[in-house]
Amino acid sequence: MQKPSRSHRPVIFIVAMALVLSVAPAQGQATAHPELITADANAPSRPFPHFWEKMFGSGRAILSLRESYRRDLREVKEATDFEYVRFHAIFHDEVGVYQEDSEGRATYNFSYLDQIYDGLLANGVRPFVELSFMPRQLAANDILHPFWYKPNVSPPKDWEKWDQLITAFAKHLVERYGIDEVASWYFEVWNEPNIDFWAGEPKQATYWQLYDHTARAIKKVNTRLRVGGPATAQAAWVDAFIEHCARNNVPLDFVSTHVYGNDRAQDVFGTNENIPRDKMVCRAVNKVHEQISASPMPNLPLIWSEFNASYKNEPPVTDSIYMGPWLADTIRRCDGLVDIMAYWTFSDVFEEQGVVKTPFYGGFGLIAAGGIPKPSYHAFRLLHKLGDRRITLNSESALLTLRSDGTVVLAVWNYASPDQPGSTRDFVVHFKNTKAQQAQVWRLDSDHGDVHSAYEKMGAPRYPTQAELQQLRSASALIAPETRELKNGELTLDVPAHGLALVELK
């Protein structure tokens, strides 16, 4: 069974939680005893690169020319300082890169392409170039994916013309931006060829052919350009792909693949397990991490170029405060296994299912239509405050970190499934080996950073007015942090279900 078309993706939040020394209560019951966390600033630590916020996915290439897209990009850049953005369809006919004249000779037009990449770079973000989809005049067949913008997923009718397109494309980028700049980009061959985004048959063998042609064409332009794949859904094909590249001496600079929290174990692992939404992503990451380690190329970087809590439009997931704890725990579990993870997506300027019809429909973006920040946006914003070293902490609900300036930062969360109400949990955090007397506490929960109650009180308008949009943006803002005194180095926190707390010692 194939994964449904990618017009659904999830969002994330953070809430700090403590080392559980007592038995957790059943869903819906009150916490009988507080959970105790010992946060020792002098405990062993290790590097903690912010792998979860280096890259984001987005709607297709042409959407990046819209002011709404660029406004959301700037807002997420300010919150996370992300470095790369990935999108589909740079070769879609609406971008206008490829045409053939009446005699079948290829011509190239880089006008819109230049505007797309210029706009990203002007806003401090580099492209993670997904090489897709097939220009219709180059396609062997007119095989259109069901996405609203109907990308062609056919193999090329002429492999030499495909090679020439890739060569011309890469040469143009190097000429326009310089090799030092473009060598810092990534070139990923296609998107999810193991499902309905690739119509070659048999899928794997014809994708190998596509990858081989593309990677060699890129490297002929300049060996410094970085190319990789297989960009598969459901963490598929990676071991076989590396074997193919190693055996045939095909260039490969990184591995990329995808998984979502609600993917099925049968599709990802070939088992009949029921893997919970909060466990699926990092279990798949670990699977691929181990495949790379056991491969002929064990040092390949792993780039998870799509992830989210859901590949469906599920408002109780991606539009909700659920994303805070889900994201925080995903970061905790995946740390050390992956180089980059790209949340799908940074904005709901997004049209895979058609034009957005209402602000809150379970879209994948951190920012809803109309520029309304969702809880997931605030989750990323809070987690950005974590330090760049992770301190050992024996807890499954907290992250303890240290910034380069010596500031200790703790994230604590109260995870519950999106269909469960959960219960508030109390935590007593004992900080050791710090001279701090105060703590700044930010919260993300139904009373902090969640716009939904304001939207419902407004009557859930399908098309909010400008005045209503401004009210919603104000209602979605995080409340200023609370300053709390540490008493004998201790801090007591109550964290609602689906809540996240970020604690910064002062």
Side-chain angles (χ1 to χ4, degrees):
M1 175 179 172
Q2 290 185 348
K3 182 177 77 173
S5 297
R6 181 218 295 106
S7 54
H8 318 288
R9 316 287 187 191
V11 188
I12 351 182
F13 287 129
I14 44 175
V15 180
M17 203 163 92
L19 168 60
V20 180
L21 297 181
S22 58
V23 178
Q27 294 287 355
Q29 296 180 4
T31 303
H33 303 285
E35 299 187 8
L36 308 178
I37 299 176
T38 298
D40 186 351
N42 286 349
S45 68
R46 65 178 186 273
F48 187 54
H50 286 209
F51 59 90
W52 68 92
E53 60 177 357
K54 289 185 179 180
M55 182 165 79
F56 284 89
S58 84
R60 71 190 190 279
I62 201 71
L63 297 181
S64 69
L65 298 181
R66 294 186 188 172
E67 178 54 27
S68 55
Y69 178 106
R70 294 182 177 184
R71 179 196 62 210
D72 289 354
L73 182 142
R74 288 190 290 269
E75 189 158 352
V76 176
K77 172 70 176 180
E78 188 276 331
T80 66
D81 197 27
F82 75 105
E83 300 174 33
Y84 295 94
V85 67
R86 173 185 180 267
F87 43 66
H88 308 319
I90 196 65
F91 293 147
H92 193 287
D93 288 351
E94 63 191 353
V95 180
V97 170
Y98 184 90
Q99 302 86 33
E100 291 185 2
D101 63 20
S102 58
E103 297 183 3
R105 291 186 295 249
T107 60
Y108 311 112
N109 183 347
F110 297 121
S111 175
Y112 277 178
L113 182 140
D114 290 346
Q115 293 176 53
I116 288 167
Y117 291 150
D118 286 358
L120 298 182
L121 294 171
N123 284 292
V125 177
R126 291 183 165 117
F128 182 94
V129 183
E130 177 198 300
L131 297 164
S132 68
F133 290 102
M134 195 61 61
R136 287 197 180 185
Q137 288 186 295
L138 184 52
N141 297 288
D142 201 30
I143 304 175
L144 305 183
H145 189 275
F147 277 170
W148 183 72
Y149 61 92
K150 297 296 184 289
N152 196 311
V153 296
S154 169
K157 65 183 180 183
D158 185 322
W159 285 103
E160 184 176 356
K161 286 185 175 181
W162 173 260
D163 293 347
Q164 291 168 353
L165 167 61
I166 298 300
T167 299
F169 171 79
K171 281 185 176 179
H172 175 78
L173 295 177
V174 171
E175 289 169 359
R176 184 172 183 84
Y177 302 111
I179 185 57
D180 288 342
E181 172 61 35
V182 183
S184 69
W185 301 7
Y186 296 86
F187 292 85
E188 181 186 44
V189 180
W190 214 255
N191 174 70
E192 299 188 346
N194 59 315
I195 58 172
D196 60 354
F197 293 95
W198 176 244
E201 290 295 340
K203 283 187 180 293
Q204 190 176 91
T206 55
Y207 176 75
W208 287 180
Q209 186 178 15
L210 176 75
Y211 182 84
D212 295 356
H213 275 266
T214 307
R216 286 170 173 150
I218 286 173
K219 289 293 188 178
K220 283 181 180 178
V221 172
N222 196 294
T223 58
R224 292 175 61 190
L225 300 181
R226 297 185 288 192
V227 63
T232 40
Q234 300 157 348
W237 291 5
V238 170
D239 47 358
F241 176 66
I242 298 173
E243 288 284 351
H244 165 79
C245 292
R247 184 170 59 252
N248 295 283
N249 197 29
V250 182
L252 178 60
D253 297 307
F254 63 89
V255 164
S256 65
T257 189
H258 310 155
V259 101
Y260 287 80
N262 60 337
D263 269 319
R264 301 188 317 159
Q266 183 177 344
D267 296 322
V268 180
F269 300 102
T271 67
N272 292 319
E273 302 168 82
N274 181 17
I275 300 175
R277 193 188 299 265
D278 60 320
K279 307 291 195 302
M280 172 59 78
V281 170
C282 294
R283 184 164 161 184
V285 168
N286 185 64
K287 165 193 161 181
V288 176
H289 174 83
E290 291 182 349
Q291 287 177 335
I292 294 172
S293 296
S295 78
M297 306 172 75
N299 297 317
L300 283 170
L302 173 56
I303 299 178
W304 214 267
S305 53
E306 288 185 28
F307 83 102
N308 204 316
S310 178
Y311 61 78
K312 299 178 180 178
N313 292 140
E314 297 184 82
V317 178
T318 53
D319 286 347
S320 79
I321 58 170
Y322 168 80
M323 291 306 295
W326 184 88
L327 177 60
D329 197 54
T330 297
I331 291 168
R332 180 186 69 85
R333 291 176 183 276
C334 290
D335 176 34
L337 301 174
V338 61
D339 294 271
I340 296 175
M341 293 184 76
Y343 184 82
W344 187 266
T345 59
F346 78 78
S347 169
D348 278 349
V349 178
F350 190 85
E351 294 177 348
E352 290 180 357
Q353 295 173 298
V355 178
V356 173
K357 301 177 180 65
T358 185
F360 300 106
Y361 65 97
F364 308 122
L366 303 183
I367 301 179
I372 307 168
K374 299 184 192 178
S376 54
Y377 166 83
H378 293 303
F380 271 95
R381 187 176 180 185
L382 289 182
L383 292 169
H384 179 68
K385 296 177 181 293
L386 292 171
D388 57 7
R389 293 197 67 83
R390 180 177 174 182
I391 301 173
T392 299
L393 189 68
N394 186 20
S395 173
E396 294 185 352
S397 303
L399 280 166
L400 183 63
T401 67
L402 185 68
R403 292 191 197 142
S404 57
D405 65 359
T407 302
V408 175
V409 186
L410 174 75
V412 178
W413 55 94
N414 184 356
Y415 180 86
S417 298
D419 58 348
Q420 297 291 331
S423 59
T424 296
R425 307 191 77 165
D426 294 327
F427 304 95
V428 176
V429 185
H430 178 59
F431 291 100
K432 297 177 61 178
N433 293 307
T434 174
K435 297 180 180 179
Q437 300 297 311
Q438 294 181 329
Q440 297 280 88
V441 181
W442 285 263
R443 293 179 179 271
L444 178 61
D445 52 46
S446 58
D447 295 323
H448 302 81
D450 187 4
V451 71
H452 289 88
S453 61
Y455 182 66
E456 293 299 324
K457 288 178 182 177
M458 193 178 282
R462 183 174 177 183
Y463 307 113
T465 66
Q466 285 296 317
E468 288 171 332
L469 284 173
Q470 185 55 49
Q471 292 176 39
L472 291 171
R473 292 184 197 117
S474 297
S476 72
L478 280 180
I479 298 172
E482 176 188 4
T483 299
R484 300 276 300 277
E485 298 294 328
L486 297 183
K487 298 179 180 179
N488 298 318
E490 286 191 353
L491 177 68
T492 300
L493 292 170
D494 61 314
V495 181
H498 308 129
L500 166 68
L502 194 290
V503 180
E504 180 181 281
L505 296 193
K506 292 292 185 182

